Amino acid sequence: MRYRQLTTGTLALGVVLLIDVLRVWLPGIITIFGQAASTPAELMGAFALGWFVLALGAPAVVRRVGARPVVVVAAAALALARLALTAAPGGRTQLWLATAGLLAGLVWLVGVAAGTDRPVPGLALGFAVNAALHAVWDTVDVVWWGTWAAWLFSSVAVLLFLLGTAQPVARAGGGAAGGDGGAQAGGGGVRAWLLAGPALLLAGMVALSPALARTGMSYLFAGDGVAGSPLFGLAPVPVAVAAFLFTASTRPPRGWGRAYGPVALLVGALLFAGDRGDLLVPAVLLAAVGLGACLALTDDADRPDGTAQTGPTGRETARDGTDATAARRGYAVAVGMLVFALGAVGYYSAYDLGYPNAAVPVVVAGLVAVVAFTAQPVVGWLPGPFPPIRAAAAVTALALLAPVVADEVPVAGNRDGPPERLTVVAYNIRMGFGLDGRFDLTGLTEVVQRQRPDVVLLSEVDRAWLLNGGHDTLDVMAERLGMPYVFGPAADSVWGDAVLSRWPMDDARSLPLPAVGAPTGAQALGVTLDLSDGVRVAVVSTHLQPPPGKGPVVQARAVTDFAIRYAAGRPLVVAGDLNTEPGDEAFGQFTAAGLVDALAAARPLATSPADDPREQIDHIFVSAALTPSDPVAPRSTASDHLPVAVTVALPPR
């Protein structure tokens, strides 16, 4: 069992470190390589896919050089890159460190695959540990902390991984007979390794995504197509982690009963693809159950005798065809990780290129389901539960901490009578990433807090995209600002706009705006502030998406029509990234509707790009009943836009 424990533990640690690197590398494609959308989406996709294609050459290197030296060198490179990223250097240094770590991680996986014919326990434990830690950390990766605790955790994880890699592991039994049996039975773990990449994609997007689970809970609390601040929003996470580990380590039923996992995974993927916020929680839970069960179907399915040849250190066996089997495993994991890249690029590039993407998670789930269901059923069961009961229980207990230790967004309450003034801030936060490519919620919240806001309107709010690291930027910002929120979905159910307020909000409504050829969806979110004593103010948050080569005139008209109807004579604030400048036709739609440019006294007030602002595209409009003063666009590079802020005086009662 020492072999099994070391194999599982080292593989799981490596998977955790690789996912950490991916959570830095993936958003770096957009924010650093993409340079704020100035790089064509096709070029960004080619850059992303290129490294996974390059890794297809790793099995040939392993076969020529040997698995052991490849694994040791690649593990060291992965560990060093992961540790260096803890410094969060930003810019191209960060991008190339993450790229080096990614390539090293892919080569390491290929080397490990060459010497490990039973990867499911380590893969499952790695996915589960990463999800549990991500939830406990409130979806903000330790890489971005910049504290001594981040260095301590990273150093311990890297050290344990390197020690596990360096530790020689004796053959676990079976000898040449075991090797022959694996080769004859169909490849000794080939199917399991093939599913590593697709399973990683589905785990990060749906099954084991803490941010998606919390976003789903926030829809259940609000309803009507909008999302609100949930209590114990991370509660589904320990359930998903426990279900995943249980099904991944449980003997699959015989006969057609084996189909429950593939069916659950497909249903979960379909619910996710349906893009309905109220279906996200069942999507997470079903996908977790199904993904674990599919991995279990491939666990040693190709090796009925259940023997294992080597551990993750890459000690090779070279008898009677096992070299060929090891090569097949290496190619299988390389191809599987290429599927991960194709799925991620295919899904998220749709928001730049404008094609339907709902089929991507369903197709990947279908691939996993087919590979798993057609695997040879296990004959007999291996002695000892895997993952070990104690390890699975510990990971589940860790996940249980998440809803307990996570800070909850406070509930707003009426103060002693309505205020005389409100300070309004509008900010395009670029999914939480600054101009240097670092995930910088601290910088975002600090520049907002300096304005002492009563109401904050946010654009480009990402709540679970794996492409951006799987963070829930809205909930974390709301906790730090101490302000409840309402979220309106735009591009999909986890990307859109939000309103945060120190005052109670009700009557939330979201209106999808006409696409008019723009690939990224847009919406208008209306909420009503209850300022007590019958004083109510309507607030509309939006982010206009202009069609190629044109202004967002159609969307601007739709927003003004919605806002005027929604306000129904009450004082009104409309704000956001409007992608139009004073004097443009789209800008004129707001003034023609009787709204006042609240920033007029400070014009010109450029807000983009943040380091050298030249464009006036972020705006605040108010109805004639409100009197604006003190307009400002405070400097900050925590996003690619500057925030705009204004104080509005309420009409006398």
Side-chain angles (χ1 to χ4, degrees):
M1 296 306 295
R2 176 179 175 274
Y3 157 75
R4 290 296 185 193
Q5 292 169 1
L6 185 58
T7 299
T8 300
T10 306
L11 179 55
L13 270 173
V15 167
V16 170
L17 296 179
L18 178 56
I19 296 175
D20 282 352
V21 169
L22 278 168
R23 291 190 191 277
V24 178
W25 183 77
L26 285 169
I29 298 172
I30 306 298
T31 59
I32 302 174
F33 184 83
Q35 297 179 344
S38 63
T39 302
E42 297 87 348
L43 184 58
M44 290 189 286
F47 174 82
L49 291 175
W51 302 103
F52 291 85
V53 173
L54 184 62
L56 290 174
V61 176
V62 169
R63 195 163 189 179
R64 186 177 186 86
V65 177
R68 172 77 175 166
V70 169
V71 167
V72 170
V73 172
L78 170 61
L80 289 174
R82 168 62 184 80
L83 196 59
L85 286 172
T86 307
R92 293 192 176 275
T93 300
Q94 175 180 297
L95 176 63
W96 291 114
L97 276 175
T99 301
L102 168 67
L103 186 58
L106 296 174
V107 174
W108 169 79
L109 272 179
V110 170
V112 171
T116 304
D117 59 0
R118 193 174 176 233
V120 169
L123 292 174
L125 201 57
F127 294 161
V129 167
N130 188 272
L133 289 173
H134 202 53
V136 170
W137 293 331
D138 211 11
T139 77
V140 179
D141 309 283
V142 68
V143 169
W144 305 114
W145 290 6
T147 64
W148 66 267
W151 282 102
L152 177 62
F153 176 86
S154 301
S155 300
V156 169
V158 162
L159 180 61
L160 291 175
F161 172 61
L162 292 177
L163 288 176
T165 301
Q167 181 69 30
V169 180
R171 188 183 298 176
D180 293 343
Q184 294 166 5
V190 171
R191 287 176 183 268
W193 279 114
L194 178 62
L195 292 189
L200 175 59
L201 180 65
L202 293 173
M205 287 179 65
V206 191
L208 297 175
S209 170
L212 189 71
R214 181 159 62 191
T215 304
M217 289 288 284
S218 69
Y219 277 101
L220 297 180
F221 271 71
D224 296 327
V226 297
S229 309
L231 294 173
F232 299 104
L234 292 172
V237 176
V239 179
V241 168
F244 171 76
L245 285 175
F246 178 79
T247 55
S249 57
T250 301
R251 179 176 182 173
R254 295 183 180 276
W256 284 98
R258 299 164 59 241
Y260 88 92
V263 170
L265 180 61
L266 281 169
V267 173
L270 285 167
L271 293 178
F272 173 75
D275 197 24
R276 281 184 48 182
D278 57 343
L279 297 179
L280 291 180
V281 171
V284 167
L285 298 179
L286 283 169
V289 169
L291 187 60
C294 286
L295 289 176
L297 285 169
T298 65
D299 187 16
D300 208 51
D302 291 326
R303 293 181 52 77
D305 59 351
T307 58
Q309 293 163 287
T310 60
T313 56
R315 291 178 62 89
E316 298 168 272
T317 58
R319 295 195 186 189
D320 303 321
T322 56
D323 277 344
T325 302
R328 285 198 295 271
R329 290 196 295 264
Y331 281 112
V333 71
V335 169
M337 292 304 295
L338 180 59
V339 171
F340 168 89
L342 287 169
V345 170
Y347 184 79
Y348 291 109
S349 63
Y351 297 107
D352 286 321
L353 300 179
Y355 57 82
N357 64 353
V360 173
V362 179
V363 169
V364 175
L367 171 65
V368 172
V370 169
V371 171
F373 188 72
T374 57
Q376 299 178 23
V378 174
V379 179
W381 188 239
L382 299 179
F386 255 91
I389 291 295
R390 284 177 295 181
V395 176
T396 302
L398 179 64
L400 280 168
L401 286 176
V404 176
V405 303
D407 295 330
E408 298 294 339
V409 177
V411 177
N414 285 323
R415 305 177 185 180
D416 297 330
E420 296 181 354
R421 293 176 175 82
L422 292 175
T423 299
V424 180
V425 174
Y427 201 1
N428 180 326
I429 62 172
R430 195 168 79 146
M431 296 82 68
F433 288 88
L435 280 181
D436 57 2
R438 295 187 304 114
F439 188 64
D440 192 12
L441 288 188
T442 299
L444 291 172
T445 53
E446 285 180 350
V447 70
V448 172
Q449 284 174 325
R450 286 201 298 268
Q451 309 312 310
R452 301 176 65 85
D454 296 289
V455 187
V456 179
L457 297 86
L458 300 179
S459 303
E460 290 194 13
V461 176
D462 168 37
R463 304 199 61 189
W465 275 11
L466 177 62
L467 178 69
N468 295 322
H471 312 117
D472 186 352
T473 56
L474 176 58
D475 202 275
V476 178
M477 277 197 71
E479 292 166 4
R480 297 186 180 187
L481 292 172
M483 304 171 75
Y485 63 82
V486 174
F487 174 73
D492 60 17
S493 56
V494 297
W495 196 98
D497 311 296
V499 177
L500 298 81
S501 171
R502 301 193 186 281
W503 298 87
M505 296 177 284
D506 58 25
D507 192 26
R509 306 180 201 172
S510 178
L511 173 73
L513 300 179
V516 291
T520 304
Q523 65 86 56
L525 170 65
V527 301
T528 298
L529 308 184
D530 181 2
L531 305 180
S532 77
D533 294 347
V535 178
R536 295 166 68 81
V537 174
V539 176
V540 174
S541 175
T542 191
H543 179 192
L544 303 187
Q545 301 286 339
K550 299 180 180 179
V553 179
V554 173
Q555 290 184 349
R557 187 180 302 120
V559 169
T560 56
D561 290 345
F562 167 78
I564 297 299
R565 291 196 312 270
Y566 178 77
R570 293 169 295 184
L572 170 65
V573 176
V574 180
D577 175 2
L578 303 184
N579 276 308
T580 184
E581 298 207 57
D584 291 347
E585 184 179 359
F587 189 94
Q589 296 296 317
F590 294 93
T591 55
L595 297 176
V596 176
D597 176 11
L599 307 179
R603 297 291 184 195
L605 193 63
T607 58
S608 178
D611 57 342
D612 183 22
R614 299 180 299 275
E615 299 177 312
Q616 303 181 74
I617 57 176
D618 299 272
H619 306 288
I620 300 175
F621 290 94
V622 298
S623 61
L626 299 173
T627 303
S629 63
D630 303 321
V632 65
R635 300 304 291 262
S636 172
T637 57
S639 170
D640 60 341
H641 287 240
L642 297 179
V644 288
V646 69
T647 298
V648 294
L650 297 176
R653 287 180 291 154

